[in-house]
Each structure stands twice: as structure tokens, then as C-alpha cells.
Amino acid sequence: MTAISSNSAAAGNATCNLTSMETDALLGGLNVSDGHPRMALTETQRDIVESLPALFGEADKRPFEEIEAEAQRAFLHGIGQHHAPIGTGRLVSCYSSSVAMDITARALAHRTSHVALVHPTFDNIPDLLKGRGLTLTPVTEAELEQGEPDLPEEVGAVFVTTPNNPTGWVLPEDALRRLAAYCARTGRVLALDTCFRAQDARAQYDTYRVLQDSGVEWVVIEDTGKLWPTLELKAGFLAWGENTDLPLLEYFSDVLLSVSPLILLMIMKFAQDASTGGYTKLHGLIQRNRLALAEILGGSAVELTDPNARISVARITLPPDGPDAATLYDELVSDGTHVLPCGPFHWARQSDGLLQVRLALARPEDDVVRAASIIVNAVRRRLEATNAR
Ligand code: EGV
């Protein structure tokens, strides 16, 4: 296997973000690095791909607004979001959810200088917020779940990733209700990144109804990019409330006129397929891969960190007397296997992720099994070498 990398000594290099490691993993070798789906298409998904030339003709003929609303309805209603603001002018489609995130960051910076952000989370979220000049305060999942986080006065918005990446933690409905009431009462904007929610039924209560009922100023970012192996053909959706006083539509229009109606039609077809058996298959694959990973770790010194998670990535915890995550990452990369060290997810305190590594599960089962075995063997070799001394 060829080992290609420009990213050695990951944790020691401050300019090395998670996405740059994911980019290295695209060059070759065994890739359980990024959270994008890379398993095979199902039969019915392949039928949709084969219908793309016909969809092109349809996208060319029909009004954009109609296609967009249909795609948003198929996707969002399929994951329980019946009160999403479809057709109101407060739900726009973006090339990716990170584009929606950057628009949100810019709009939040128009309003406040400080944002409270869940800790840990994927590092491009703090990076995009900081990139728009915002100062961040870390908040733990437990504090958010309790509903009334103790925040400095200057914090003008709370940003939560739910389900969270990489932990799989989900903000429960009653906790969202408390948190929304708290933000409404204290005049703070509540922003939710729900990019992984289609993978976890526990995150599919109607978020929009809770937010609307609370009176809070809110923003929600949705994503179709974590579900289906569509070669980065996807969209992010950016929604906000009737009384949300942020220049979101203005900043959206600075970035784009619209996404492609062809991609929206394709998303509509994938969402329909998902609702009629596709999600069952997807959740089954992720569950089987998580179980296969747990089975290979069983009896070793490495443990599944979040056995209850349902999202398409899994953390594993390394033993304290073996290699740390950055060392293991480097060793695996030099052998052509790509995972992610979890330090950078802990954006305010990297050392919290020192002994955790993340594996992608939206993969063929064989990829997960091979990566898990390679990790178990690498850790065992190190432990044996240490004990022999
Ligand atoms: C994951 C990468 C960026 C992101 C990967 C991801 N995108 N940086 N804009 O999609 O968990 O691997 O979310």
C-alpha cells in the first residue's frame, strides 16, 4: 500500500485541521477518516443515479421555487421536521452546510462579539466562527442538556451541534425547550447544526415547533451530505425564525443565487427512497459497522467510547500506557490507514482528546473491520514493547 501524506505529526502542528487530514486520506490507502458517505449505492439509489439525464430535463423545465420546496419537503418531513419554514422565504439551500455555517457566522458577528459553542465538536465550526471575528466560550454537552448554561454576559448566541460530531450526543426535546426558553429570556440567538440528524431517530422530534413556540431568535443548519454516496452532490439548508433579527438572507445572496435544481431533484428522489426503506438500510449499515468495530476491539485495550451513538462516526478510546492519538495517527498514516485523532475536536483544550481516535462508519463493512484490526494490532505491539522494557 502506498503511504502518501503531507500531514505528519498531526497534533503537534497547529495549522493542521481535521479537514486537511481528511484531504490526505483521499489520496489513497484505507480511508475511515472523513464523515462523508463512501459505501456502495443500494440498488434503488443506483436507479436514481441512472435517471439523472431525465432529471436534468425536468430541472430545466420546472420553476426553481417549486423544485426547491418539493425537495425540502421530501427531505425535512422525512426526518420529522414538519414545522420547517418551507415556502416562507426563511429556508434557503446552500452548496454545503459549511457554506450555511459561514453565512450564519457572519450574521452572528453582525449582532454579537461572543458565541458559546458546544465542546467538543468538529473543528471547522469553531474555525468558521472565529474566522468571522467571533470570540468563543466552550459549553459542555452536559451543561446544554441541563438547559440553563452559566454564560458570561457578553455571549450573544449559543451554537449547538446535535447530534454532535464526534460524540453522537443528542440534545433531547425537553432540554431544547429549556435552552430555547433560556436564550429567549436572556436575549440570545440559538443556532443549531443538525447535520447528522437523519442518522438518529432520537434527533428527529420537530425541532422547528419547539423553537417557534419558545419565541427565541433561532437558526438551524440541515444537511443532506452525510447520508448517501452521491460524490459530494448534496445541499445544506439554512432556516431561521420569523422574529430572528439577523441579515441571513442578505448574506446568503452575497454568496449565491441558488443551488442547482438538478441536485435538488436528486435529493428529493434520495429522500423519497430513504423514507421508503433507505433510512432503514442506512441505519442498519451504520449499526452493523459499529458492532463490527466493537467486536474487534473486544478483549483488547481499546474501547468504543460512545456505544450508544447512532451517527456514522465512532470514537475509540486508547489505553493510557499505549500510543496517544497523534502518535497512533502518524503511525497509521505511514502505513496507509487514515483515521482522525480527536485532539482538534476539543477546540478549546486539545489535550481532552489525547486518547481518542475517530473512525468513519459510512463505509463498506470490510474497511471498518480492516482499520479496527490494524489499530488493535498497533496498540498491542506498543503495549508489548513497553511491558518488555
Ligand atoms: C466530518 C469537512 C469542511 C466536513 C467533514 C465532516 N468539511 N471542512 N467544510 O464535512 O465529520 O468528517 O464533517
Side-chain angles (χ1 to χ4, degrees):
M1 204 169 280
T2 12
I4 317 163
S5 173
S6 55
N7 264 329
S8 62
N13 183 350
T15 65
C16 192
N17 64 25
L18 291 168
T19 305
S20 69
M21 299 180 222
E22 296 181 340
T23 305
D24 276 357
L26 296 175
L27 298 174
L30 178 53
N31 175 5
V32 288
S33 176
D34 65 73
H36 295 200
R38 302 185 187 281
M39 60 291 209
L41 290 162
T42 66
E43 244 171 77
T44 48
Q45 287 175 340
R46 177 154 301 284
D47 291 343
I48 298 170
V49 169
E50 278 162 14
S51 77
L52 283 176
L55 288 183
F56 192 104
E58 185 183 339
D60 193 27
K61 278 187 209 82
R62 294 178 53 198
F64 177 78
E65 290 71 24
E66 191 180 293
I67 291 173
E68 183 180 46
E70 241 174 59
Q72 291 175 341
R73 198 171 299 117
F75 178 64
L76 294 169
H77 288 193
I79 50 173
Q81 304 309 302
H82 297 282
H83 284 74
I86 298 161
T88 63
R90 292 182 284 107
L91 173 50
V92 294
S93 311
C94 304
Y95 299 128
S96 75
S97 61
S98 293
V99 170
M101 188 94 56
D102 192 35
I103 292 167
T104 302
R106 186 177 165 208
L108 289 175
H110 179 79
R111 157 80 164 257
T112 182
S113 56
H114 288 68
V115 172
L117 172 66
V118 62
H119 190 266
T121 202
F122 197 80
D123 69 351
N124 85 317
I125 301 171
D127 286 346
L128 286 170
L129 292 165
K130 285 186 280 186
R132 293 295 180 176
L134 292 158
T135 303
L136 303 180
T137 302
V139 204
T140 63
E141 294 167 347
E143 286 174 283
L144 291 164
E145 190 156 340
Q146 167 272 329
E148 304 234 343
D150 188 16
L151 301 176
E153 190 65 38
E154 62 272 24
V155 167
V158 177
F159 194 109
V160 186
T161 314
T162 171
N164 197 13
N165 179 6
T167 64
W169 167 83
V170 173
L171 181 69
E173 181 167 6
D174 57 331
L176 173 63
R177 200 169 284 119
R178 279 197 302 277
L179 183 63
Y182 166 81
C183 288
R185 200 170 65 238
T186 58
R188 294 178 166 115
V189 178
L190 179 56
L192 301 180
D193 165 357
T194 62
C195 288
F196 279 92
R197 84 153 102 219
Q199 298 175 346
D200 191 339
R202 296 171 300 187
Q204 295 178 13
Y205 58 84
D206 195 338
T207 304
Y208 296 90
R209 195 173 57 187
V210 175
L211 292 170
Q212 271 160 42
D213 289 352
S214 74
V216 73
E217 291 183 74
W218 59 267
V219 180
V220 174
I221 295 164
E222 306 268 1
D223 192 13
T224 68
K226 302 287 192 284
L227 306 172
W228 312 307
T230 47
L231 303 179
E232 309 294 346
L233 299 177
K234 59 184 180 180
F237 299 120
L238 175 59
W240 60 93
E242 218 174 337
N243 66 336
T244 301
D245 186 22
L246 293 172
L248 289 156
L249 192 58
E250 184 188 328
Y251 292 169
F252 169 81
S253 70
D254 285 343
V255 179
L256 74 161
L257 174 58
S258 82
V259 300
S260 161
L262 172 60
I263 290 180
L264 289 171
L265 277 180
M266 187 203 73
I267 287 168
M268 181 179 73
K269 298 290 184 190
F270 271 84
Q272 286 167 345
D273 177 70
S275 295
T276 52
Y279 281 135
T280 306
K281 282 187 195 144
L282 173 68
H283 298 166
L285 172 83
I286 293 169
Q287 187 182 19
R288 282 196 306 282
N289 282 348
R290 185 171 269 108
L291 287 173
L293 173 60
E295 201 167 309
I296 289 166
L297 301 182
S300 82
V302 187
E303 275 180 7
L304 197 59
T305 315
D306 317 288
N308 228 341
R310 305 278 162 83
I311 63 171
S312 61
V313 294
R315 289 191 298 175
I316 58 176
T317 303
L318 307 172
D321 47 347
D324 67 19
T327 308
L328 181 66
Y329 169 81
D330 282 347
E331 184 182 329
L332 295 182
V333 165
S334 67
D335 204 35
T337 298
H338 297 262
V339 296
L340 287 182
C342 285
F345 288 94
H346 295 262
W347 51 270
R349 205 170 51 214
Q350 303 240 348
S351 57
D352 283 6
L354 203 66
L355 292 180
Q356 286 140 21
V357 164
R358 195 194 79 169
L359 278 76
L361 301 180
R363 294 292 189 276
E365 180 170 344
D366 186 54
D367 286 8
V368 176
V369 166
R370 280 191 298 141
S373 312
I374 289 167
I375 291 168
V376 165
N377 287 332
V379 172
R380 183 188 300 126
R381 269 199 310 276
R382 176 65 68 92
L383 290 175
E384 283 166 3
T386 310
N387 293 338
R389 263 196 251 129

